[in-house]
Amino acid sequence: MNLTDYGFLPQMYSTDAEGTYARVIAVHKGHYSLFTEYGECSAKLKAGVYFNNCTEEFPTTGDFVEIQYNTKGESLIIKTLKRKSKFARNDSSGHGIAYAKTIKDQTVAANFDFVFIMQSLNHDMNRKRLERYLALSWQSGALPVVVLTKTDLIEDYSATLALVKQVAIGVDVHAISAKTGYGLEGLADYLKKGKTVVFLGSSGVGKSSLVNALAGKVVMSVQEIRENDSKGRHTTTHRQLVRLESGVMVIDTPGMRELGMWNVSEGLDESFSDVKSFLGRCKFSDCRHENEPGCIIRMEIENGGIALERWESYLTLKKEAAFVDDKAAYLREKDHQHVTMKVWERQKKKDARNNNRH
Ligand SMILES: Nc1nc2c(ncn2[C@@H]2O[C@H](COP(=O)(O)OP(=O)(O)OP(=O)(O)O)[C@@H](O)[C@H]2O)c(=O)[nH]1
Ligand SMILES: [Mg+2]
């Protein structure tokens, strides 16, 4: 097997490369598991390249790296190749070198083609979380796909499916069961040789179970969810890239607890295309969509053109994206938005009461 079997493309070769190439299959404390032309090996970062105020980005699972291969011991990683997609908690662009040092290890998966956003039909389905995942996935540069799991536990999930399709605009939605194999053939389009798919979702939704079902054997460990509150047990503890016999690569991730404060500013355009299509059409170009005359957004919310909860989700995620850039500005804005939303809601209730009286 060679590195092209792990997704390496000829255009990634550089004539001035100082070493050989590898793909990161897992990140551990202090060292990395890599796949190389010579098979799997362990490696660490070259200090003079990655530390001491150097700006080279720390590698993450899925990254292609340049290494000095060592036949006798740990190899040395000397360069992180440019990523085609990534999940990043923050974006280092625009920040100085000193700051970059503290945030350059914030990328948690890289170089994937598809993101499977996984929620379980029996317990985990949550619209707001789905919106967050969708924005994050669009932002990553890969294509999101929604995978609803555990169909075998639910008799009729048609209402959930309809809701998800409403939120996941322009995104394929699949319902599957890793237990019975239901719906797995519908995923074939994404599971092609040389492609990489990353699985995202809360603990216990069945990410590792799906990896095993696709592999046809146990490659990831799976644990019963907790009986008292149906929560997962955070069984998968680090991100791992697994190559299946079909040639597709899967990055299984631990259920992410801290999905809140990720930079999703660019992903919002795609995931909220329904809301976005009305933006910029108000009478005033600097309309804040509060009480201004000629506000198209408010008008569409009144008329049902935009669902109020979609608008609120959009505002929430937009504010969080702003937070990533500027904490202070975020707090001021949050206060202001909160107050005006409350005033607006109170006014609506008052109007409704008045209307009922007449
Ligand atoms: N009935 C049923 N149970 C499933 C299915 N898929 C997964 N499970 C069960 O759900 C529980 C959690 O599955 P995992 O695959 O460990 O979940 P995970 O998303 O990898 O969880 P973390 O690694 O903690 O993030 C296990 O008890 C699985 O057997 C399914 O399709 N049907
Ligand atoms: Mg798991």
Side-chain angles (χ1 to χ4, degrees):
M1 199 177 304
N2 62 39
L3 205 54
T4 42
D5 294 318
Y6 270 78
F8 191 80
L9 299 170
Q11 59 266 34
M12 293 177 184
Y13 274 107
S14 159
T15 44
D16 50 2
E18 289 170 26
T20 177
Y21 293 107
R23 189 162 199 193
V24 177
I25 53 182
V27 179
H28 311 280
K29 273 215 164 63
H31 75 280
Y32 296 77
S33 297
L34 307 181
F35 183 82
T36 73
E37 300 281 341
Y38 317 103
E40 284 188 27
C41 79
S42 175
K44 59 183 184 187
L45 300 176
K46 185 169 182 177
V49 177
Y50 286 95
F51 301 101
N52 309 327
N53 281 344
C54 303
T55 48
E56 191 72 19
E57 294 224 32
F58 285 150
T60 189
T61 306
D63 259 324
F64 291 100
V65 289
E66 213 176 293
I67 60 167
Q68 284 166 359
Y69 185 70
N70 183 354
T71 47
K72 296 198 186 78
E74 275 196 325
S75 297
L76 268 188
I77 302 176
I78 56 175
K79 189 180 172 58
T80 310
L81 269 57
K82 197 171 177 304
R83 297 158 173 150
K84 71 170 175 189
S85 60
K86 64 177 180 180
F87 284 128
R89 292 206 177 99
N90 205 333
D91 203 332
S92 57
S93 56
H95 297 293
I97 290 176
Y99 186 50
K101 185 174 181 293
T102 59
I103 57 170
K104 67 183 178 178
D105 60 346
Q106 298 284 302
T107 302
V108 298
N111 295 317
F112 40 86
D113 301 279
F114 301 105
V115 183
F116 280 10
I117 299 172
M118 299 178 61
Q119 297 207 334
S120 80
L121 283 160
N122 61 331
H123 288 299
D124 181 67
M125 175 47 212
N126 176 306
R127 185 181 60 82
K128 287 203 166 140
R129 194 182 309 122
L130 178 61
E131 287 170 330
R132 202 176 279 278
Y133 276 125
L134 283 163
L136 185 65
S137 303
W138 281 119
Q139 169 101 5
S140 74
L143 267 189
V145 176
V146 177
V147 178
L148 302 171
T149 63
K150 309 193 188 182
T151 53
D152 58 291
L153 296 178
I154 297 288
E155 219 160 87
D156 183 5
Y157 50 84
S158 51
T160 311
L161 200 60
L163 172 76
V164 169
K165 285 184 175 167
Q166 244 174 33
V167 171
I169 301 158
V171 174
D172 291 346
V173 181
H174 296 266
I176 62 126
S177 165
K179 193 170 179 184
T180 64
Y182 175 82
L184 297 192
E185 72 287 345
L187 304 177
D189 278 353
Y190 323 106
L191 304 171
K192 296 261 165 70
K193 188 171 188 283
K195 297 284 178 198
T196 303
V197 184
V198 65
F199 289 6
L200 275 195
S202 311
S203 180
V205 298
K207 299 179 296 296
S208 301
S209 301
L210 180 58
V211 177
N212 293 341
L214 296 173
K217 59 184 178 197
V218 177
V219 288
M220 296 298 301
S221 48
V222 161
Q223 259 197 87
E224 288 299 314
I225 51 182
R226 296 195 304 240
E227 257 175 37
N228 52 344
D229 60 2
S230 306
K231 289 262 163 51
R233 292 172 189 269
H234 291 277
T235 308
T236 307
T237 50
H238 61 280
R239 296 161 196 97
Q240 184 166 353
L241 184 144
V242 182
R243 186 180 180 278
L244 306 184
E245 266 166 39
S246 62
V248 70
M249 281 142 291
V250 175
I251 301 177
D252 189 10
T253 66
M256 279 195 246
R257 289 175 239 228
E258 74 301 3
L259 208 63
M261 293 302 169
W262 291 53
N263 190 349
V264 294
S265 47
E266 288 163 31
L268 289 180
D269 282 5
E270 303 276 5
S271 54
F272 284 86
S273 52
D274 52 341
V275 169
K276 278 265 165 181
S277 63
F278 293 107
L279 288 174
R281 287 166 51 181
C282 299
K283 184 170 173 197
F284 300 110
S285 60
D286 61 349
C287 185
R288 292 176 67 102
H289 319 300
E290 287 163 2
N291 297 309
E292 294 88 339
C295 173
I296 297 294
I297 297 292
R298 289 292 165 203
M299 200 180 83
E300 287 300 328
I301 293 173
E302 302 274 352
N303 297 341
I306 300 174
L308 181 58
E309 62 264 33
R310 285 288 284 167
W311 176 244
E312 286 176 342
S313 293
Y314 174 75
L315 287 183
T316 305
L317 291 170
K318 194 142 179 70
K319 273 183 273 173
E320 285 180 8
F323 174 84
V324 176
D325 290 334
D326 181 351
K327 215 170 185 170
Y330 164 79
L331 291 172
R332 281 196 305 274
E333 180 73 1
K334 187 177 169 199
D335 265 3
H336 183 71
Q337 294 274 13
H338 183 73
V339 169
T340 46
M341 185 61 86
K342 286 279 163 258
V343 169
W344 189 65
E345 274 167 8
R346 249 197 321 258
Q347 184 61 44
K348 275 194 69 172
K349 276 189 197 142
K350 211 164 127 191
D351 290 350
R353 272 201 305 273
N354 286 342
N355 288 341
N356 284 344
R357 265 191 227 126
H358 299 309

